[in-house]
Amino acid sequence: SLPTAAGLVEMGAHWIHGPSPGNPIFRLATSYGLLGPEAAREENQRAEAGGHPPLASVTYGSSGRALSPQVVSEAHDLFDTLLASARAFRGAEELPAPSVGQYLRAEIARRVPASAGGKKDARRLQLAILAACLKLECCISGTHSMDLVALEPFGEYISLPGLDCTFPGGYSSLPDRMLSALPEGVLLLSKAVRTIRWRGSFHEEGDEARDFPVQVECEDGDTFLADHVIVTVPLGFLKEHHQNFFQPPLPERKAEAIRHLGFGTNNKIFLEFEKPFWEPQQQLLEVVWEDESPLEEPSADLEANWFKKLIGFVVLQPPEQHGHVLCGFIAGKESEYMETLSDAEVLGTMTRILRTLTGNPCLPAPRNVLRSQWHSAPYTRGSYSYVAVGSSGDDIDVLAQPLPEDPEDPRPLQLLFAGEATHRTFYSTTHGALLSGWREAERLNQLFEAPSPP
């Protein structure tokens, strides 16, 4: 959570996805009193949102007009039906396609001619809206294309019930409260780790010195000796650095899981306005490029077309706290290209897009722009994980498996692994990350409580 002139913006996690009793983030936030009264309402906790915040929206087409809510709703309903059917292949021996994207496109090609009544313009618009739905799904899955997301394990991901909600005091208010319970001085920040040496014998200096199996070496030259290390770095970092980050290198089975699982980029672009050009009830401004179709290959010219991957803008609520701020979402290679541009270039492009979409060439430019740059960030190299074509939920379990794997090793659990990419059913979420940390803490608890071998 970053403070701005107008209020708070979330550079990372935005919502509690599925705020209900089964979500540990929601339970903690409730116990600390960090949520608004709406989140506590039982009917909100029981609502099945399917991982999508249900926001009052307006959909703008690239021809500079708001599209018919009925036409948009019909296309969304069809996409939701097809997406639900894509979750039904878990455990299937034969698949209609290797990826979610290929399956969805084949179903769209089969279904749309009939549902559009054969009218060319109506079919074209429906296909354009479905293309926008696919882009939204790329943001949710954190991938460049749904063609990269494996079909068979897609249904393993679990969406919890509850209407997604935000933290009035920012998402950071939760870890801040959790950290306040720790003793002073036990948390070290800005200590980038260069190498984790394990399966070693590192001697401690001092009167009661002993040997440790693990040594953590920091980039500033400091070292720490340990019996156990819980590694929670993002999968994107592991993909780039696991060969040198661990000495000796990880077993090949774990290195393969790191290579096979997917990790992509989903970025935010915040635009602050002097006055809103949207209606007070509108919470989501969707974007549809009317010349696009999921049945056609998108342009590979990032410089000319990167902004077309933008799915639209969420209106930050309430305006009394945030000011008049839109938050755009953009995923994939286009999102990574956006990171290479200057703030002025992004601001100029966003102004031009909004003037095109609203049909108002005099629409005032935003007075400020702020964006995330998760792909450029050296210790993340992207946003969150997905199960890619060529991988499965088994790879998530392999990634989560502690080392050394030999149960007879006299010094067990030297390396433990946590983070969203290690949770088989809640990957990509904050609650998955939290549960994975608790899982590894409990693993150590059980080790310490076990009777010592003779």
Side-chain angles (χ1 to χ4, degrees):
S1 307
L2 274 188
T4 65
L8 275 175
V9 296
E10 303 286 14
M11 301 303 281
H14 201 99
W15 290 278
I16 300 179
H17 289 299
S20 52
N23 187 323
I25 295 281
F26 176 73
R27 293 201 308 271
L28 273 181
T30 303
S31 70
Y32 289 137
L34 299 177
L35 300 178
E38 282 292 300
R41 290 172 53 195
E42 281 196 28
E43 57 267 39
N44 282 3
Q45 294 178 40
R46 288 196 297 267
E48 293 286 350
H52 297 250
L55 304 174
S57 64
V58 59
T59 304
Y60 287 107
S62 50
S63 58
R65 64 196 170 106
L67 302 180
S68 157
Q70 183 181 348
V71 172
V72 172
S73 179
E74 287 172 0
H76 280 207
D77 288 347
L78 172 60
F79 188 81
D80 290 346
T81 300
L82 298 182
L83 195 64
S85 70
R87 299 190 184 279
F89 294 100
R90 186 175 161 193
E93 291 185 12
E94 286 192 31
L95 297 171
S99 74
V100 175
Q102 288 162 288
Y103 168 75
L104 290 174
R105 285 206 311 277
E107 288 298 299
I108 288 168
R110 189 172 66 82
R111 297 278 291 272
V112 168
S115 60
K119 295 178 184 173
K120 191 175 180 182
D121 289 346
R123 180 178 188 271
R124 188 79 202 164
L125 182 56
Q126 190 170 22
L127 287 172
I129 298 167
L130 290 168
C133 291
L134 268 173
K135 291 177 198 172
L136 172 60
E137 208 53 43
C138 287
C139 284
I140 291 168
S141 290
T143 183
H144 172 61
S145 166
M146 293 307 290
D147 290 1
L148 302 175
V149 179
L151 180 62
E152 188 275 326
F154 190 58
E156 279 198 317
Y157 178 88
I158 293 175
S159 292
L160 295 170
L163 295 180
D164 292 4
C165 66
T166 58
F167 286 83
Y171 222 117
S172 294
S173 61
L174 179 61
D176 287 347
R177 282 296 296 271
M178 296 167 77
L179 291 173
S180 68
L182 291 179
E184 193 75 25
V186 300
L187 180 71
L188 295 179
L189 299 174
S190 301
K191 297 292 287 187
V193 173
R194 178 185 288 127
T195 311
I196 300 175
R197 305 184 189 280
W198 62 295
R199 279 207 144 149
S201 187
F202 301 99
H203 194 67
E204 181 185 36
E205 294 180 4
D207 294 341
E208 298 180 13
R210 66 182 180 93
D211 287 349
F212 289 84
V214 184
Q215 182 191 63
V216 177
E217 182 185 319
C218 296
E219 288 181 2
D220 64 5
D222 282 359
T223 58
F224 298 86
L225 303 183
D227 292 303
H228 317 282
V229 171
I230 302 178
V231 181
T232 68
V233 297
L235 177 61
F237 178 87
L238 289 179
K239 280 180 173 289
E240 287 196 350
H241 299 289
H242 73 86
Q243 299 95 325
N244 301 316
F245 193 63
F246 300 97
Q247 295 296 334
L250 298 175
E252 182 54 27
R253 200 163 73 99
K254 195 176 281 282
E256 269 196 5
I258 290 169
R259 286 194 294 268
H260 290 163
L261 287 168
F263 194 82
T265 304
N266 181 24
N267 272 317
K268 299 176 180 182
I269 303 173
F270 295 96
L271 304 172
E272 184 190 359
F273 291 83
E274 196 80 46
K275 296 177 183 175
F277 62 83
W278 53 91
E279 299 298 322
Q281 74 276 10
Q282 290 169 352
Q283 298 177 63
L284 174 64
L285 316 181
E286 292 183 298
V287 175
V288 171
W289 295 93
E290 294 170 64
D291 59 345
E292 290 189 339
S293 164
L295 307 182
E296 298 166 11
E297 278 297 309
S299 168
D301 186 347
L302 294 180
E303 185 178 358
N305 295 297
W306 69 268
F307 52 85
K308 290 188 175 182
K309 194 67 167 285
L310 193 80
I311 58 114
F313 300 88
V314 170
V315 180
L316 295 196
Q317 299 286 352
E320 305 84 61
Q321 180 186 350
H322 295 283
H324 307 299
V325 179
L326 298 181
C327 174
F329 289 85
I330 182 169
K333 301 293 182 193
E334 295 84 353
S335 182
E336 292 166 12
Y337 178 80
M338 179 275 295
E339 296 186 23
T340 68
L341 302 175
S342 68
D343 282 357
E345 287 172 309
V346 173
L347 183 64
T349 302
M350 293 297 105
T351 302
R352 181 164 53 83
I353 288 173
L354 288 169
R355 287 173 177 170
T356 299
L357 295 168
T358 59
N360 178 5
C362 301
L363 189 80
R367 65 182 185 185
N368 279 314
V369 64
L370 181 68
R371 69 258 171 69
S372 61
Q373 294 172 290
W374 288 109
H375 181 69
S376 309
Y379 303 122
T380 52
R381 305 296 287 139
S383 301
Y384 41 80
S385 66
Y386 60 93
V387 185
V389 172
S391 68
S392 73
D394 292 344
D395 287 311
I396 296 176
D397 290 343
V398 169
L399 185 58
Q401 187 66 28
L403 297 173
E405 293 178 306
D406 180 4
E408 301 302 313
D409 196 299
R411 299 182 300 179
L413 304 182
Q414 293 172 31
L415 299 183
L416 300 95
F417 295 83
E420 54 82 19
T422 71
H423 198 291
R424 186 159 181 158
T425 57
F426 292 145
Y427 55 86
S428 81
T429 67
T430 316
H431 53 272
L434 178 63
L435 285 169
S436 73
W438 285 352
R439 177 192 68 213
E440 298 313 309
E442 185 54 33
R443 210 189 291 270
L444 288 177
N445 280 342
Q446 291 179 2
L447 175 73
F448 297 143
E449 289 168 4
S452 299

